Amino acid sequence: VSPDLPVLSSKDVYDLKNFCVKHLFDYVAIPRVQSRNDVELVRNTLDRVDGRFVKIIGKIEDEAGLRNIDEIIAASDGIMVGRSTL
């Protein structure tokens, strides 16, 4: 069962800009990625806050993510698989 949660909360957007970008993070991980759209949303958000340099790691944690793993890999800079939740 996939949780009905937004990919990014308003606090996540704030933290991407004011912590991740400000402190020049190399990577950010996105939990519960279910599709390419989730990765693209985070990428577009980072682009808007001058975080184009931040790489994105998509974390596959459910069946939807597993079904869409090829498109998630194509959209991400890296991938993690949460085996315990599959």
Side-chain angles (χ1 to χ4, degrees), residues 2 5 11 13 16 26 31 41 44 49 51 54 56 60 64 71 73 77 79 81 84:
S2 299
L5 299 170
K11 172 126 174 47
V13 174
L16 284 173
D26 293 319
L41 175 66
N44 292 337
V49 296
V54 179
I56 296 174
I60 307 297
E71 69 179 45
I73 288 171
D77 298 300
I79 199 87
V81 178
S84 66

Side-chain angles (χ1 to χ4, degrees), residues 3-67:
D4 189 21
L5 299 170
V7 176
L8 291 175
S9 68
S10 58
K11 172 126 174 47
D12 293 330
V13 174
Y14 177 88
D15 289 343
L16 284 173
K17 178 179 181 180
N18 295 294
F19 194 75
C20 179
V21 173
K22 180 179 177 181
H23 296 286
L24 305 174
F25 278 30
D26 293 319
Y27 292 91
V28 65
I30 313 167
R32 297 177 308 278
V33 174
Q34 296 182 355
S35 72
R36 166 187 288 276
N37 294 340
D38 294 349
V39 178
E40 289 174 350
L41 175 66
V42 174
R43 175 120 23 235
N44 292 337
T45 301
L46 283 166
D47 287 352
R48 282 195 317 273
V49 296
D50 298 323
R52 288 173 187 82
F53 59 90
V54 179
K55 305 257 189 283
I56 296 174
I57 305 293
K59 187 172 182 189
I60 307 297
E61 298 188 66
D62 59 25
E63 288 183 35
L66 199 54
R67 271 193 311 275

